[in-house]
Amino acid sequence: MNRTSAPVDAPATGAWEGLVTTALLGTDRRTPPGAGPGPEAPVALLDAAAVETVRRRAGLRPARAAERPQPAPEDPRPPLPPAAARRLALLLADRPGGSGGGRRGTAPDLTELLPQWLAAANARGFAPPPQVLPALLDAARGRTDLRPTVLEFAGPRALWLARLNPDWRFALRSTPGGGAALPHLEDDEGVRQLWQEGLFAERVALLSALRSREPAAARELLATTWSTERAEDRLMFLDSLRTGLGPDDEPFLEQALADRSRNVRATAAELLSALPGSALAARMAVRAEACVAIDHTQATQAAGGTESSGATVATPTIAVEAPHECDADMERDGVVAKAPAGRGERSWWFGQLVEAAPLGTWSRRLGGRTPREIVALPVTDDWQGELHAAWCRAAVRQRDAEWSRALLGEPSAPEAGGPGAVSLAERAKLLGTLDAAERAEWVAGFIATHGLSEAFQLLGVCAVPWAPPLGRAVVDALNIARDAGSYPWSFSGVMGLAERCLDPSEAGRLDALLAVPDEPENASPGAGGYWAEAFQRLVTTLRLRAAMTEELNTP
């Protein structure tokens, strides 16, 4: 029988506190009871503490038996194949190395393979062995990036365990509803009751589940309590409308533009601007069109002409006239009036208008030109950077692949990108609007021209495993860097990505790179040995990933 204990009321409680005080002060300043000063005082203190400890433990009495916990729920998923279960135990047992720096050697980093293993196991619908659940929860406790995949894989029993251990309470917070069973979505009464009476996390989970299945029903459910929700809750609920966002959501979002919370208004405006046919998008288009026009009066020297001949030709140029004020209607439509520190107000307002305007606006406004032709036009008065950056944000928000291609430009273009990509982070977002094959092809071309020094962020948005052209481009660039005697640790980030993302079938092609290369005269001392280790680790990791996949596929 489970029992807890309670201390007996005893007058000797003060004796223990006195011993603690003596230990804190030191026996040279305060002697324990029954002992004098001198070298024997510390021994007497420890003896007295031992006696008091035994007395305190003996003075406990049994309490009423605690209620037994409910049994853990069943997990209906099939169990892992035995080899995959053993592999999981090895991955969970591995611990990151110290922070001292040092060489990594040729051993694979198992902690970096765990996320990939979990994703593969989840894709196959396996359940974990019960004995590894504590280790899984400990791993997720230490690494927030693991929590979604760990909790999906660990299943309902992990939530049962989390309720018994405060160290794992994050699992209840990280799981919508804390593992509480949602009513069947066809159960209208159950849905209404949970929406009216449930905890916040349960309500978020309910709204998200309903939105993914019946977008209109989720929106109507939200509308029933919208006016009484807290501002921070309204913001979270409104964010759920991103799933299945469509024209039918416009009336509700238009009402949210008048919300008393600025964050709610801004989110509603962002969602409406992602609907090119919305009234807000039309209003933003009118404002943005008033700021941008084609100027046919800009003269440039004609091809083959000279200054003495005076031969000039009118070149179509984009002229920009940024807004001079941010009125109340603009603010209602989501334009933030106060510019960030170091940013001019007019350019700040202008960027927001262009970002929210439908991209289809510009072909009509700028003479029927295609996105690629529009991006190629010169822009007056140094407005090109601001205009193109706003178009980049609009292309990402509206998921417009044609505009993304135009703004990215050719991967071999000078200055490591297209005219509209103002940063590597912006290029990475634009690439995210393209399909996986086109994305990999563009990044492979970028690496072939510009090398790996700026490619890390771009590689991070490519699908795993990397497509063959991309994988070959990365390996070729690493090989070139090795032959040039470059510092291998300068490419450690890309090498780490290759270990996780390169197709395991490429391992055989890398065998020729395992030997220590001859070092050029200007090579970094010892670089050849580092490169050999790095490629050996890469090959070993790829073969381990292949074995992991085979184990999960074994009946």
Side-chain angles (χ1 to χ4, degrees):
M1 179 170 61
N2 294 332
R3 294 182 180 276
T4 57
S5 300
V8 177
D9 296 332
T13 302
W16 178 259
E17 294 176 352
L19 293 172
V20 171
T21 302
T22 300
L24 292 172
L25 292 174
T27 53
D28 56 337
R29 297 178 60 189
R30 176 172 176 173
T31 56
E40 298 300 321
V43 177
L45 175 62
L46 293 176
D47 288 343
V51 171
E52 184 63 20
T53 298
V54 172
R55 192 207 67 79
R56 285 162 60 87
R57 288 177 178 173
L60 298 175
R61 61 189 176 193
R64 176 175 294 182
E67 183 180 352
R68 290 178 178 273
Q70 293 295 319
E74 293 295 326
D75 193 332
R77 297 173 296 175
L80 278 174
R86 290 191 293 271
R87 179 71 64 190
L88 174 60
L90 290 173
L91 294 174
L92 290 171
D94 193 65
R95 291 290 181 267
S99 57
R103 295 171 76 143
R104 283 184 55 192
T106 60
D109 186 350
L110 299 185
T111 59
E112 291 303 319
L113 294 182
L114 181 58
Q116 195 169 110
W117 188 97
L118 288 166
N122 285 334
R124 291 161 175 79
F126 286 123
Q131 64 270 23
V132 303
L133 288 175
L136 280 168
L137 288 168
D138 281 340
R141 180 190 179 199
R143 287 181 58 179
T144 55
D145 62 305
L146 285 178
R147 289 182 182 178
T149 50
V150 163
L151 295 176
E152 180 184 352
F153 177 61
R157 291 181 173 181
L159 297 174
W160 181 87
L161 275 177
R163 294 188 180 94
L164 304 177
N165 186 343
D167 289 343
W168 299 330
R169 292 288 172 152
F170 70 86
L172 304 180
R173 295 191 299 271
S174 301
T175 304
L182 296 177
H184 288 293
L185 299 184
E186 295 81 5
D187 179 7
D188 294 339
E189 183 58 34
V191 167
R192 279 196 298 271
Q193 183 175 0
L194 182 60
W195 181 249
Q196 295 285 346
E197 303 173 6
L199 300 174
F200 174 69
E202 294 172 335
R203 300 177 73 212
V204 170
L206 175 64
L207 189 65
S208 299
L210 191 59
R211 181 68 180 180
S212 63
R213 185 167 170 179
E214 298 181 39
R219 185 185 62 251
E220 292 166 4
L221 183 67
L222 177 58
T224 61
T225 60
W226 178 257
S227 61
T228 61
E229 304 286 356
R230 299 183 306 167
E232 55 268 34
D233 294 350
R234 292 199 304 277
L235 182 62
M236 182 73 76
F237 292 144
L238 192 64
D239 201 59
S240 70
L241 298 187
R242 296 182 190 277
T243 302
L245 182 67
D248 291 343
D249 297 317
E250 183 179 355
F252 181 84
L253 293 172
E254 275 284 342
Q255 291 181 358
L257 288 176
D259 195 271
R260 54 188 179 274
S261 165
R262 184 180 67 180
N263 289 335
V264 171
R265 295 195 302 271
T267 300
E270 179 191 346
L271 293 173
L272 283 168
S273 67
L275 295 172
S278 68
L280 179 138
R283 294 193 295 270
M284 287 299 197
V286 170
R287 294 173 181 132
E289 285 178 339
C291 300
V292 178
I294 288 288
D295 182 356
H296 292 283
T297 65
Q298 295 292 322
T300 60
Q301 188 173 322
T306 63
E307 289 187 17
S308 59
S309 68
T312 58
V313 64
T315 302
T317 303
I318 295 178
V320 171
E321 179 66 27
H324 290 272
E325 64 172 345
C326 180
D327 58 34
D329 288 339
M330 287 169 62
E331 288 196 62
R332 180 184 181 275
D333 284 347
V335 176
V336 178
K338 184 175 177 58
R343 183 81 179 271
E345 281 187 333
R346 295 182 66 199
S347 66
W348 171 244
W349 301 331
F350 172 72
Q352 293 179 79
L353 296 182
V354 174
E355 176 183 355
L359 287 164
T361 299
W362 303 112
S363 180
R364 181 179 65 253
R365 175 65 171 167
L366 303 177
R369 292 174 172 85
T370 66
R372 196 174 295 273
E373 291 169 339
I374 291 171
V375 169
L377 291 173
V379 184
T380 60
D381 300 328
D382 297 324
W383 280 102
Q384 177 170 304
E386 187 68 51
L387 178 60
H388 286 187
W391 278 337
C392 283
R393 296 192 298 272
V396 172
R397 179 182 294 185
Q398 298 172 36
R399 310 300 297 174
D400 193 306
E402 186 179 6
W403 268 91
S404 293
R405 294 185 193 101
L407 292 161
L408 280 165
E410 295 300 322
S412 58
E415 300 180 1
V422 294
S423 67
L424 285 171
E426 200 76 45
R427 295 182 196 113
K429 292 176 182 177
L430 290 170
L431 285 168
T433 66
L434 309 179
D435 63 52
E438 186 176 0
R439 206 180 314 163
E441 182 181 0
W442 196 94
V443 177
F446 179 93
I447 292 171
T449 302
H450 306 289
L452 291 169
S453 59
E454 293 187 323
F456 187 81
Q457 281 183 289
L458 306 181
L459 287 168
V461 301
C462 293
V464 177
W466 288 335
L470 178 58
R472 287 192 292 271
V474 171
V475 172
D476 289 345
L478 288 170
N479 194 19
I480 290 170
R482 182 191 72 151
D483 290 344
S486 302
Y487 286 102
W489 40 92
S490 300
F491 299 91
S492 60
V494 173
M495 189 66 80
L497 269 180
E499 291 171 18
R500 300 189 296 275
C501 303
L502 198 62
D503 194 313
S505 64
E506 296 287 319
R509 205 168 65 85
L510 299 172
D511 286 337
L513 304 177
L514 302 183
V516 178
D518 296 330
E519 295 183 0
E521 287 185 14
N522 298 327
S524 307
Y530 274 92
W531 277 111
E533 281 186 3
F535 278 114
Q536 178 65 63
R537 184 172 60 250
L538 175 57
V539 170
T540 304
T541 302
L542 293 178
R543 288 179 174 149
L544 177 55
R545 285 174 51 208
M548 286 166 37
T549 301
E550 184 177 354
E551 291 162 357
L552 286 166
N553 289 337
T554 301

